[in-house]
Amino acid sequence: MPSNKELSAALDIEGSVPIHSVQLDAMVVLKIVKHCRESIPATVTGQLMGLDVNGVLEVTHSFPMPKNNQDSEDDASNYQVQMMRCLREVNVDDNSVGWYQSTNMGNFMNQSLIEHQFEFQQALSKSVLIIHDVARSSMGNINLRALRLTPAFMKLYKEKKFTTEALTKAKLTFSNIFEELPITIRNTALLTALLYELETADESIEVSTSHLTTYKSTASAPANKSVLAPSFDVLDLSLDPYVAKNLENLMDTIDDHHQEQGNYAYWQRSVERENKKKAAYLLNRKTENARRTASGQAPLANEDVDAMFKIPAEPSRLDHLLISGQIDNYCKQINEFAGPTLGKLFAVGELQK
Amino acid sequence: MMDNSSTLHLALPAVHTAASATAPPSLAQPRAFSTSVNPLVFFSILDHYLRRNAGQDRVIGTLLGVRSEDGSEVEIKGCYPVPHLETEDQVEVDMEYHRTMFELHKQVNPKEVIVGWYATGAALNSYSALIHDFYQKEVSSFPAVHLTMDTALTNERLGVKTYISAPVGITSKADNCMFIPIPCDVKYFKAERAGLELLANAKSTESGSTSLLSDMDNLEQSVIEVQKMLERVSEYVDSVLAGTVPANNTVGRYLMDTVSVVPKVDAAEFEKMFNSHLQDLLMVIYLANMTRTQLAVAKRLEKLM
């Protein structure tokens, strides 16, 4: 039972303690993995529910959202409302604390994700986005990351002004868009009992019914391995598929980046041109005025120069930020993958001797 | 259960296959009926049990899943709880809720159908029969599966049993049925297996919590496991050689098979393969790091602007 202090902290609606870590229930982990796994290669989303206690965001339940997002907004929110109502009847915490998304090879940094997370975070300050990478998780280790948008980024996004000066003023770079929170996983006591149960051989679950089903071969007993017998997927040495795909994605993103740079350069050039034209015009005016005063005519009125030479607005640097962030992500992924692979490689070398 | 000497005639649920549809009905053989369960279902059931209202002894819910073409293999993939009320003389199940939830779940997973129901607590009483009858109507042509999970931990086990029902007795009342246990298996995706292992790590800690492992840590753990296994095996082999433990032919054969799995590659060939693999990897790492460095430099420059 939570102590009085914890209870009062939990009831602290204003949320004065910022979130510093995320605690997932074991069931939530399995649900997310199952849902994302079933729907590859499409990316899917779902909602998370739970409670925020003393700076730790506890996620106790989750449910998947149907993936036909082309329907009206109402359908999706209708589904959500109905689901939460039903869950409330069975005493599930119906307090929404975030959402999750599956991704393939880490390509999740795009505008729609940021927008969705922004709206979420605006509505609920204590919310988190969980990213589950399906491709990486098939290599023997679950990949889950808990992300939030940094306050600096939120402020800037609200104003929707992503000029270079605004970015430098806020000291915002691509590594500052998201902040990552550490995740812990929690098991209840009954769950622990279940896990012990699963670990011992499967005979407890399998019931022999040989007297009723004589035509079923009962020779399946030796093939029974316990559910949690060690699996060695992580020791698989295949290099090509993962790295090749990662590199492909990386190259695509660099092409996008290149295009962004091109746009920016084009804008800069056009600003230059406008400025030059403006300067030329002013110079022209001055000489004209000087000539006129010299010849005794009234100088021409100074027209509004700025209205004549419109300087094009700076394109939003948000895409640039996102693309750089994505590139960084891919490179980090390659690094993280390479570490264990080198280890495995040398182990095989030793084995051969 | 059947310790009297007289026999009991059971009408096993006849599962019609495409082949036996052509054969005369008397020869229609009911297939072995078995189920496989996704561990997520267990976790959900436990979670529901933990959240039950005060005073409720057992909780029930619906099982969703897919079944094979001939109906003899059922795979239970998901579940959702259904509120119900059990008093001394009657039992109520919220059918509206059950329908609504099923509709909602169908939107996400159109392939899953209702395959049965679950209950916590190992006892099977007449209420179980009534509820089972209701679910049988929902499942229509195939037998509904009933899964019980013994949360009271009798015999210090979290026993899980699956049943189908068969009518027994003279009158065909709804609550005259016998629950026949059927074999049940646990099935999961590979990725879920990694998740389960992670959770299993947590069970040895005091508070039951664990943090996510990075890839390196995961590898380290697996390597340690392999090391331990190798140690055990080499101990066994040593003791057999020393004569302390009688040699077992099957074990010896298994060991020989295992050791011979290491491919016999010519040393020079292996050297070449190893080096080229290593080179590929290093080159990719180098490129990735260069890209990162370039991005970092650009970041600094932007800040200076």
Coordinates of all heavy atoms in Angstrom, one line a residue, chain B residues 54-134:
Chain B
A54 N -13.4 -5.5 -4.6 CA -13.3 -6.2 -3.4 C -14.5 -7.1 -3.2 O -15.6 -6.8 -3.6 CB -13.4 -5.1 -2.2
G55 N -14.3 -8.3 -2.7 CA -15.3 -9.2 -2.5 C -15.5 -10.2 -3.7 O -16.3 -11.2 -3.5
Q56 N -14.9 -9.9 -4.8 CA -15.0 -10.8 -5.9 C -14.0 -11.9 -5.7 O -12.8 -11.6 -5.6 CB -14.8 -10.1 -7.2 CG -16.0 -10.0 -8.0 CD -15.7 -9.5 -9.4 OE1 -14.7 -8.8 -9.6 NE2 -16.5 -9.8 -10.3
D57 N -14.4 -13.1 -5.8 CA -13.5 -14.2 -5.7 C -12.8 -14.6 -7.0 O -11.7 -14.9 -7.0 CB -14.3 -15.4 -5.1 CG -13.4 -16.2 -4.2 OD1 -12.3 -15.7 -3.8 OD2 -13.8 -17.2 -3.7
R58 N -13.6 -14.7 -8.0 CA -13.0 -15.0 -9.3 C -13.5 -14.0 -10.3 O -14.5 -13.3 -10.2 CB -13.3 -16.4 -9.6 CG -14.6 -16.8 -10.0 CD -14.6 -18.3 -10.3 NE -15.9 -18.7 -10.7 CZ -16.1 -19.7 -11.6 NH1 -15.1 -20.3 -12.1 NH2 -17.3 -19.9 -11.9
V59 N -12.7 -13.9 -11.3 CA -13.0 -13.0 -12.4 C -13.0 -13.8 -13.7 O -12.4 -14.8 -13.9 CB -11.9 -11.9 -12.6 CG1 -12.0 -10.9 -11.4 CG2 -10.5 -12.5 -12.6
I60 N -13.8 -13.3 -14.6 CA -13.9 -14.0 -15.9 C -13.6 -13.0 -17.0 O -13.7 -11.8 -16.9 CB -15.3 -14.7 -16.1 CG1 -16.4 -13.6 -16.4 CG2 -15.6 -15.6 -15.0 CD1 -17.6 -14.2 -16.8
G61 N -13.4 -13.6 -18.2 CA -13.2 -12.7 -19.4 C -13.3 -13.6 -20.6 O -13.4 -14.8 -20.6
T62 N -13.2 -12.9 -21.7 CA -13.3 -13.6 -23.0 C -11.9 -13.9 -23.6 O -11.0 -13.0 -23.5 CB -14.1 -12.7 -24.0 OG1 -15.2 -12.2 -23.4 CG2 -14.4 -13.5 -25.2
L63 N -11.8 -15.0 -24.3 CA -10.6 -15.3 -24.9 C -10.8 -15.1 -26.4 O -11.8 -15.5 -27.0 CB -10.2 -16.8 -24.7 CG -9.8 -17.2 -23.3 CD1 -9.7 -18.7 -23.3 CD2 -8.5 -16.6 -23.0
L64 N -9.7 -14.5 -27.0 CA -9.8 -14.2 -28.5 C -8.7 -15.0 -29.1 O -7.6 -15.2 -28.5 CB -9.6 -12.8 -28.8 CG -10.6 -11.8 -28.2 CD1 -10.1 -10.4 -28.5 CD2 -11.9 -11.9 -28.9
G65 N -8.9 -15.4 -30.3 CA -7.8 -16.1 -31.0 C -8.1 -16.5 -32.4 O -9.1 -16.0 -33.0
V66 N -7.3 -17.4 -32.9 CA -7.6 -17.9 -34.3 C -7.6 -19.4 -34.2 O -7.0 -20.0 -33.3 CB -6.5 -17.5 -35.3 CG1 -6.5 -16.0 -35.5 CG2 -5.2 -18.0 -34.8
R67 N -8.3 -20.0 -35.1 CA -8.4 -21.5 -35.0 C -7.9 -22.0 -36.4 O -8.1 -21.3 -37.4 CB -9.7 -22.0 -34.6 CG -10.9 -21.6 -35.5 CD -12.1 -22.2 -35.1 NE -12.7 -21.6 -33.9 CZ -12.9 -22.3 -32.7 NH1 -12.5 -23.5 -32.6 NH2 -13.5 -21.7 -31.7
S68 N -7.4 -23.2 -36.4 CA -6.9 -23.8 -37.7 C -8.1 -24.1 -38.5 O -9.3 -24.1 -38.1 CB -6.1 -25.0 -37.4 OG -6.9 -26.0 -36.8
E69 N -7.9 -24.6 -39.8 CA -9.0 -24.8 -40.7 C -9.9 -25.9 -40.3 O -11.1 -25.7 -40.5 CB -8.5 -25.1 -42.1 CG -8.3 -23.9 -43.0 CD -6.9 -23.8 -43.4 OE1 -6.3 -24.8 -43.7 OE2 -6.4 -22.7 -43.5
D70 N -9.4 -26.9 -39.7 CA -10.3 -28.0 -39.3 C -10.8 -27.8 -37.9 O -11.6 -28.7 -37.4 CB -9.7 -29.3 -39.5 CG -8.4 -29.4 -38.7 OD1 -8.0 -28.5 -38.0 OD2 -7.7 -30.5 -38.7
G71 N -10.4 -26.8 -37.3 CA -11.0 -26.5 -36.0 C -10.4 -27.2 -34.8 O -10.8 -27.1 -33.7
S72 N -9.4 -28.0 -35.1 CA -8.9 -28.8 -34.0 C -7.7 -28.1 -33.2 O -7.4 -28.5 -32.1 CB -8.4 -30.2 -34.5 OG -7.3 -29.9 -35.4
E73 N -7.1 -27.1 -33.9 CA -6.0 -26.4 -33.2 C -6.5 -25.0 -33.0 O -6.9 -24.3 -33.9 CB -4.9 -26.3 -34.2 CG -3.8 -27.3 -34.0 CD -2.9 -26.9 -32.9 OE1 -2.7 -25.7 -32.6 OE2 -2.3 -27.8 -32.3
V74 N -6.5 -24.6 -31.7 CA -6.9 -23.2 -31.4 C -5.7 -22.5 -30.8 O -5.0 -23.0 -30.0 CB -8.0 -23.3 -30.4 CG1 -8.3 -21.9 -29.9 CG2 -9.3 -23.9 -31.0
E75 N -5.5 -21.3 -31.3 CA -4.4 -20.5 -30.8 C -5.0 -19.3 -30.1 O -5.7 -18.5 -30.7 CB -3.5 -20.0 -32.0 CG -2.2 -19.5 -31.5 CD -1.3 -19.1 -32.7 OE1 -1.4 -19.8 -33.7 OE2 -0.7 -18.1 -32.5
I76 N -4.7 -19.2 -28.8 CA -5.3 -18.1 -28.0 C -4.4 -17.0 -28.0 O -3.3 -17.1 -27.5 CB -5.6 -18.6 -26.6 CG1 -6.5 -19.8 -26.7 CG2 -6.2 -17.5 -25.8 CD1 -6.9 -20.3 -25.3
K77 N -4.8 -15.8 -28.6 CA -3.8 -14.8 -28.8 C -4.1 -13.6 -27.9 O -3.2 -12.8 -27.6 CB -3.9 -14.2 -30.2 CG -3.3 -15.2 -31.2 CD -3.2 -14.5 -32.5 CE -2.1 -15.1 -33.3 NZ -2.1 -14.5 -34.6
G78 N -5.3 -13.4 -27.4 CA -5.6 -12.2 -26.6 C -6.8 -12.5 -25.8 O -7.5 -13.5 -25.9
C79 N -7.0 -11.5 -24.9 CA -8.2 -11.7 -24.0 C -8.6 -10.3 -23.5 O -7.8 -9.4 -23.6 CB -7.9 -12.6 -22.9 SG -6.7 -11.9 -21.8
Y80 N -9.8 -10.2 -23.0 CA -10.2 -9.0 -22.3 C -11.1 -9.4 -21.2 O -11.9 -10.4 -21.3 CB -10.8 -8.0 -23.3 CG -12.1 -8.5 -24.0 CD1 -13.3 -8.5 -23.4 CD2 -12.0 -8.9 -25.3 CE1 -14.4 -8.9 -24.1 CE2 -13.1 -9.3 -26.0 CZ -14.3 -9.3 -25.4 OH -15.4 -9.7 -26.1
P81 N -11.1 -8.6 -20.1 CA -11.9 -9.0 -19.0 C -13.4 -8.6 -19.2 O -13.7 -7.6 -20.0 CB -11.3 -8.2 -17.9 CG -10.6 -7.1 -18.5 CD -10.2 -7.5 -19.9
V82 N -14.3 -9.3 -18.6 CA -15.7 -9.0 -18.6 C -16.2 -8.9 -17.2 O -16.0 -9.9 -16.4 CB -16.5 -10.1 -19.4 CG1 -18.0 -9.9 -19.3 CG2 -16.0 -10.1 -20.9
P83 N -16.9 -7.9 -16.8 CA -17.4 -7.8 -15.5 C -18.5 -8.8 -15.3 O -19.4 -9.0 -16.1 CB -18.0 -6.4 -15.3 CG -17.9 -5.8 -16.7 CD -17.3 -6.7 -17.6
H84 N -18.5 -9.5 -14.1 CA -19.6 -10.4 -13.8 C -19.8 -10.4 -12.3 O -19.0 -10.0 -11.5 CB -19.3 -11.8 -14.4 CG -18.5 -12.7 -13.4 ND1 -17.3 -12.3 -12.8 CD2 -18.8 -13.9 -12.9 CE1 -16.9 -13.3 -12.0 NE2 -17.8 -14.2 -12.1
L85 N -21.0 -11.0 -12.0 CA -21.4 -10.9 -10.6 C -21.8 -12.3 -10.2 O -22.6 -13.0 -10.9 CB -22.5 -10.0 -10.4 CG -22.7 -9.3 -9.1 CD1 -21.4 -8.6 -8.7 CD2 -23.8 -8.3 -9.1
E86 N -21.2 -12.8 -9.1 CA -21.6 -14.2 -8.7 C -22.1 -14.1 -7.3 O -21.4 -13.7 -6.3 CB -20.3 -15.0 -8.6 CG -20.4 -16.3 -9.5 CD -19.1 -17.0 -9.5 OE1 -18.6 -17.5 -8.5 OE2 -18.5 -16.9 -10.6
T87 N -23.4 -14.5 -7.1 CA -23.9 -14.5 -5.7 C -24.3 -16.0 -5.4 O -23.9 -16.9 -6.2 CB -25.2 -13.7 -5.6 OG1 -26.1 -14.1 -6.7 CG2 -24.9 -12.2 -5.8
E88 N -24.9 -16.2 -4.3 CA -25.2 -17.5 -3.8 C -26.0 -18.3 -4.9 O -25.8 -19.5 -5.1 CB -26.0 -17.5 -2.5 CG -25.2 -17.1 -1.3 CD -24.2 -18.2 -1.0 OE1 -24.5 -19.4 -1.1 OE2 -23.0 -17.8 -0.6
D89 N -27.0 -17.6 -5.4 CA -27.9 -18.4 -6.2 C -28.0 -18.0 -7.7 O -28.7 -18.6 -8.5 CB -29.4 -18.4 -5.6 CG -29.6 -17.1 -4.9 OD1 -28.6 -16.7 -4.2 OD2 -30.7 -16.5 -4.9
Q90 N -27.2 -17.0 -8.1 CA -27.3 -16.7 -9.5 C -26.0 -16.0 -9.9 O -25.2 -15.6 -9.1 CB -28.5 -15.8 -9.8 CG -28.4 -14.4 -9.1 CD -29.4 -13.5 -9.6 OE1 -30.0 -13.8 -10.7 NE2 -29.6 -12.4 -9.0
V91 N -25.8 -16.0 -11.2 CA -24.6 -15.4 -11.8 C -25.0 -14.5 -12.9 O -25.9 -14.8 -13.7 CB -23.7 -16.5 -12.2 CG1 -24.2 -17.3 -13.4 CG2 -22.3 -16.0 -12.6
E92 N -24.4 -13.4 -13.0 CA -24.7 -12.4 -14.1 C -23.4 -12.1 -14.8 O -22.4 -11.8 -14.2 CB -25.2 -11.1 -13.5 CG -26.5 -11.1 -12.9 CD -26.8 -9.8 -12.2 OE1 -26.1 -8.8 -12.4 OE2 -27.8 -9.8 -11.5
V93 N -23.6 -12.1 -16.1 CA -22.5 -11.7 -17.0 C -22.9 -10.5 -17.8 O -24.0 -10.5 -18.4 CB -22.0 -12.9 -17.9 CG1 -21.0 -12.4 -18.8 CG2 -21.5 -14.0 -17.0
D94 N -22.0 -9.5 -17.9 CA -22.4 -8.3 -18.6 C -22.2 -8.6 -20.1 O -21.1 -8.4 -20.6 CB -21.5 -7.2 -18.1 CG -22.0 -5.8 -18.6 OD1 -22.9 -5.8 -19.5 OD2 -21.6 -4.8 -18.0
M95 N -23.3 -9.0 -20.8 CA -23.1 -9.4 -22.2 C -22.9 -8.2 -23.1 O -22.2 -8.2 -24.1 CB -24.4 -10.1 -22.6 CG -24.5 -11.4 -21.9 SD -25.5 -12.6 -22.8 CE -27.1 -12.2 -22.2
E96 N -23.5 -7.0 -22.7 CA -23.3 -5.8 -23.6 C -21.8 -5.5 -23.6 O -21.3 -5.2 -24.7 CB -24.0 -4.7 -22.9 CG -25.3 -4.2 -23.5 CD -25.3 -4.3 -25.0 OE1 -24.5 -3.6 -25.7 OE2 -26.0 -5.1 -25.5
Y97 N -21.2 -5.5 -22.5 CA -19.8 -5.1 -22.4 C -19.0 -6.1 -23.3 O -18.1 -5.6 -24.0 CB -19.4 -5.3 -20.9 CG -18.0 -4.9 -20.6 CD1 -17.7 -3.6 -20.3 CD2 -17.0 -5.8 -20.8 CE1 -16.4 -3.2 -20.0 CE2 -15.7 -5.4 -20.5 CZ -15.4 -4.1 -20.1 OH -14.1 -3.8 -19.9
H98 N -19.4 -7.4 -23.2 CA -18.6 -8.3 -23.9 C -18.7 -8.1 -25.4 O -17.7 -8.1 -26.1 CB -19.2 -9.7 -23.5 CG -18.9 -10.8 -24.5 ND1 -17.7 -11.4 -24.7 CD2 -19.7 -11.4 -25.4 CE1 -17.8 -12.4 -25.6 NE2 -19.0 -12.3 -26.1
R99 N -19.9 -7.7 -25.9 CA -20.1 -7.4 -27.3 C -19.3 -6.2 -27.7 O -18.7 -6.2 -28.7 CB -21.6 -7.2 -27.6 CG -22.4 -8.4 -27.4 CD -22.6 -9.2 -28.7 NE -23.0 -10.6 -28.3 CZ -24.1 -10.9 -27.7 NH1 -25.0 -9.9 -27.5 NH2 -24.4 -12.1 -27.4
T100 N -19.5 -5.1 -26.8 CA -18.8 -3.9 -27.2 C -17.3 -4.1 -27.3 O -16.7 -3.6 -28.3 CB -19.1 -2.8 -26.1 OG1 -20.4 -3.0 -25.6 CG2 -18.8 -1.4 -26.6
M101 N -16.7 -4.7 -26.3 CA -15.3 -4.9 -26.3 C -14.9 -5.7 -27.6 O -13.8 -5.5 -28.2 CB -14.8 -5.6 -25.1 CG -14.6 -4.7 -23.9 SD -13.3 -3.6 -24.2 CE -12.1 -4.2 -23.1
F102 N -15.7 -6.7 -27.9 CA -15.3 -7.5 -29.1 C -15.3 -6.7 -30.3 O -14.4 -6.8 -31.2 CB -16.3 -8.7 -29.2 CG -15.9 -9.6 -30.3 CD1 -14.7 -10.1 -30.5 CD2 -16.9 -9.9 -31.3 CE1 -14.3 -10.9 -31.5 CE2 -16.5 -10.8 -32.3 CZ -15.3 -11.3 -32.5
E103 N -16.3 -5.8 -30.4 CA -16.3 -4.9 -31.6 C -15.1 -4.1 -31.7 O -14.4 -3.9 -32.7 CB -17.6 -4.0 -31.5 CG -18.9 -4.7 -31.8 CD -18.9 -5.4 -33.1 OE1 -18.5 -4.8 -34.1 OE2 -19.2 -6.6 -33.2
L104 N -14.7 -3.5 -30.5 CA -13.5 -2.6 -30.5 C -12.3 -3.4 -30.8 O -11.5 -2.9 -31.6 CB -13.4 -2.0 -29.1 CG -14.4 -1.0 -28.6 CD1 -14.2 -0.6 -27.2 CD2 -14.3 0.2 -29.5
H105 N -12.2 -4.6 -30.3 CA -11.0 -5.4 -30.6 C -10.9 -5.8 -32.1 O -9.9 -5.9 -32.7 CB -10.9 -6.7 -29.7 CG -10.2 -6.5 -28.5 ND1 -10.9 -6.0 -27.3 CD2 -8.9 -6.6 -28.1 CE1 -10.0 -5.9 -26.4 NE2 -8.8 -6.2 -26.8
K106 N -12.1 -6.0 -32.6 CA -12.1 -6.4 -34.0 C -11.6 -5.3 -34.9 O -11.1 -5.6 -36.0 CB -13.6 -6.8 -34.4 CG -13.7 -8.2 -34.8 CD -14.8 -8.7 -35.6 CE -16.1 -7.9 -35.5 NZ -17.2 -8.8 -36.0
Q107 N -11.8 -4.0 -34.5 CA -11.3 -2.9 -35.3 C -9.8 -3.0 -35.4 O -9.2 -2.6 -36.4 CB -11.7 -1.6 -34.7 CG -13.1 -1.3 -34.9 CD -13.4 0.2 -34.5 OE1 -12.5 1.0 -34.4 NE2 -14.6 0.5 -34.2
V108 N -9.1 -3.4 -34.4 CA -7.7 -3.5 -34.4 C -7.2 -4.8 -35.1 O -6.3 -4.8 -35.9 CB -7.1 -3.4 -33.0 CG1 -5.6 -3.4 -33.1 CG2 -7.6 -2.1 -32.3
N109 N -7.9 -5.9 -34.7 CA -7.4 -7.2 -35.2 C -8.6 -7.9 -35.8 O -9.2 -8.7 -35.2 CB -7.0 -8.0 -34.0 CG -5.5 -8.0 -33.9 OD1 -4.8 -8.0 -34.9 ND2 -5.0 -8.1 -32.7
P110 N -8.8 -7.7 -37.1 CA -10.0 -8.3 -37.7 C -10.0 -9.8 -37.7 O -11.0 -10.4 -37.9 CB -10.1 -7.7 -39.1 CG -8.8 -7.1 -39.3 CD -8.1 -6.8 -38.0
K111 N -8.8 -10.4 -37.6 CA -8.8 -11.8 -37.7 C -9.1 -12.6 -36.5 O -9.3 -13.8 -36.5 CB -7.4 -12.2 -38.2 CG -7.2 -11.9 -39.7 CD -6.0 -12.7 -40.2 CE -4.9 -11.8 -40.2 NZ -3.7 -12.1 -40.8
E112 N -9.1 -11.9 -35.3 CA -9.3 -12.7 -34.1 C -10.8 -12.9 -33.9 O -11.6 -12.0 -34.1 CB -8.6 -11.9 -32.9 CG -7.1 -12.0 -33.0 CD -6.5 -11.4 -31.8 OE1 -7.2 -11.0 -30.9 OE2 -5.3 -11.4 -31.7
V113 N -11.1 -14.1 -33.4 CA -12.5 -14.4 -33.1 C -12.6 -14.9 -31.7 O -11.6 -15.2 -31.1 CB -13.1 -15.5 -34.1 CG1 -13.2 -15.0 -35.5 CG2 -12.2 -16.7 -34.0
I114 N -13.8 -14.9 -31.2 CA -14.0 -15.4 -29.8 C -13.8 -16.9 -29.9 O -14.4 -17.6 -30.7 CB -15.4 -15.1 -29.3 CG1 -15.7 -13.6 -29.4 CG2 -15.6 -15.6 -27.9 CD1 -17.0 -13.2 -28.9
V115 N -12.9 -17.4 -29.0 CA -12.7 -18.8 -29.0 C -13.1 -19.5 -27.6 O -13.0 -20.7 -27.5 CB -11.2 -19.2 -29.3 CG1 -10.9 -18.8 -30.7 CG2 -10.3 -18.6 -28.3
G116 N -13.4 -18.6 -26.6 CA -13.7 -19.2 -25.4 C -13.7 -18.2 -24.3 O -13.8 -17.0 -24.5
W117 N -13.5 -18.7 -23.1 CA -13.5 -17.7 -21.9 C -12.5 -18.3 -20.9 O -12.1 -19.4 -20.9 CB -14.9 -17.6 -21.3 CG -15.5 -18.8 -20.7 CD1 -15.8 -20.0 -21.4 CD2 -15.8 -19.1 -19.4 NE1 -16.3 -20.9 -20.5 CE2 -16.3 -20.4 -19.3 CE3 -15.7 -18.3 -18.2 CZ2 -16.7 -20.9 -18.0 CZ3 -16.1 -18.8 -17.0 CH2 -16.6 -20.2 -16.9
Y118 N -12.2 -17.3 -20.0 CA -11.2 -17.7 -18.9 C -11.8 -17.4 -17.6 O -12.7 -16.6 -17.5 CB -9.9 -17.1 -19.1 CG -9.9 -15.6 -18.8 CD1 -9.8 -15.0 -17.5 CD2 -9.8 -14.7 -19.9 CE1 -9.8 -13.7 -17.3 CE2 -9.8 -13.3 -19.7 CZ -9.7 -12.8 -18.4 OH -9.7 -11.5 -18.2
A119 N -11.3 -18.1 -16.5 CA -11.7 -17.7 -15.2 C -10.5 -18.0 -14.3 O -9.7 -18.9 -14.5 CB -12.9 -18.6 -14.7
T120 N -10.4 -17.2 -13.2 CA -9.4 -17.5 -12.2 C -10.0 -18.4 -11.1 O -11.2 -18.5 -11.0 CB -8.9 -16.2 -11.6 OG1 -10.0 -15.6 -10.9 CG2 -8.3 -15.3 -12.6
G121 N -9.1 -19.1 -10.4 CA -9.6 -20.0 -9.4 C -9.9 -21.4 -10.1 O -10.4 -21.5 -11.1
A122 N -9.4 -22.4 -9.4 CA -9.4 -23.7 -10.1 C -10.7 -24.4 -10.0 O -10.9 -25.4 -10.7 CB -8.4 -24.6 -9.4
A123 N -11.7 -24.0 -9.2 CA -12.9 -24.7 -9.1 C -13.8 -24.6 -10.3 O -13.9 -23.6 -10.9 CB -13.6 -24.2 -7.9
L124 N -14.4 -25.7 -10.7 CA -15.4 -25.7 -11.8 C -16.7 -26.0 -11.1 O -16.9 -27.1 -10.7 CB -15.1 -26.8 -12.8 CG -13.8 -26.7 -13.6 CD1 -13.6 -28.0 -14.3 CD2 -13.9 -25.5 -14.6
N125 N -17.6 -25.0 -11.2 CA -18.9 -25.3 -10.6 C -20.0 -25.1 -11.6 O -19.8 -24.9 -12.8 CB -19.1 -24.5 -9.3 CG -18.9 -23.0 -9.7 OD1 -18.9 -22.6 -10.8 ND2 -18.6 -22.2 -8.6
S126 N -21.2 -25.2 -11.1 CA -22.3 -25.1 -12.1 C -22.4 -23.8 -12.8 O -22.9 -23.7 -13.9 CB -23.7 -25.4 -11.4 OG -23.9 -24.5 -10.3
Y127 N -21.9 -22.7 -12.1 CA -21.9 -21.5 -12.8 C -21.0 -21.5 -14.0 O -21.2 -20.9 -15.0 CB -21.4 -20.4 -11.8 CG -22.4 -20.1 -10.7 CD1 -21.9 -19.6 -9.5 CD2 -23.7 -20.3 -10.9 CE1 -22.8 -19.4 -8.5 CE2 -24.6 -20.0 -9.9 CZ -24.1 -19.6 -8.7 OH -25.0 -19.3 -7.6
S128 N -19.9 -22.2 -13.8 CA -19.0 -22.4 -14.9 C -19.7 -23.0 -16.1 O -19.5 -22.6 -17.3 CB -17.8 -23.3 -14.6 OG -17.2 -22.9 -13.4
A129 N -20.5 -24.0 -15.8 CA -21.3 -24.7 -16.9 C -22.2 -23.7 -17.6 O -22.3 -23.6 -18.8 CB -22.0 -25.9 -16.3
L130 N -22.9 -22.9 -16.8 CA -23.8 -21.9 -17.4 C -23.1 -20.9 -18.2 O -23.5 -20.6 -19.4 CB -24.6 -21.1 -16.3 CG -25.6 -21.9 -15.6 CD1 -26.1 -21.1 -14.4 CD2 -26.8 -22.2 -16.5
I131 N -22.0 -20.4 -17.7 CA -21.2 -19.4 -18.5 C -20.7 -20.0 -19.7 O -20.6 -19.4 -20.8 CB -20.1 -18.8 -17.6 CG1 -20.7 -18.2 -16.3 CG2 -19.3 -17.7 -18.4 CD1 -19.6 -17.6 -15.4
H132 N -20.2 -21.3 -19.6 CA -19.7 -21.9 -20.7 C -20.7 -22.1 -21.8 O -20.4 -22.0 -23.0 CB -19.1 -23.3 -20.3 CG -18.3 -23.9 -21.4 ND1 -16.9 -23.7 -21.4 CD2 -18.5 -24.7 -22.4 CE1 -16.4 -24.3 -22.4 NE2 -17.4 -24.9 -23.1
D133 N -21.9 -22.4 -21.3 CA -23.0 -22.5 -22.3 C -23.2 -21.3 -23.1 O -23.4 -21.3 -24.3 CB -24.3 -22.9 -21.6 CG -25.4 -23.3 -22.5 OD1 -25.2 -24.2 -23.3 OD2 -26.4 -22.6 -22.5
F134 N -23.2 -20.1 -22.4 CA -23.3 -18.8 -23.0 C -22.2 -18.6 -24.1 O -22.5 -18.2 -25.2 CB -23.3 -17.8 -22.0 CG -23.0 -16.4 -22.5 CD1 -23.9 -15.8 -23.3 CD2 -21.8 -15.8 -22.2 CE1 -23.6 -14.5 -23.8 CE2 -21.6 -14.5 -22.6 CZ -22.5 -13.9 -23.5

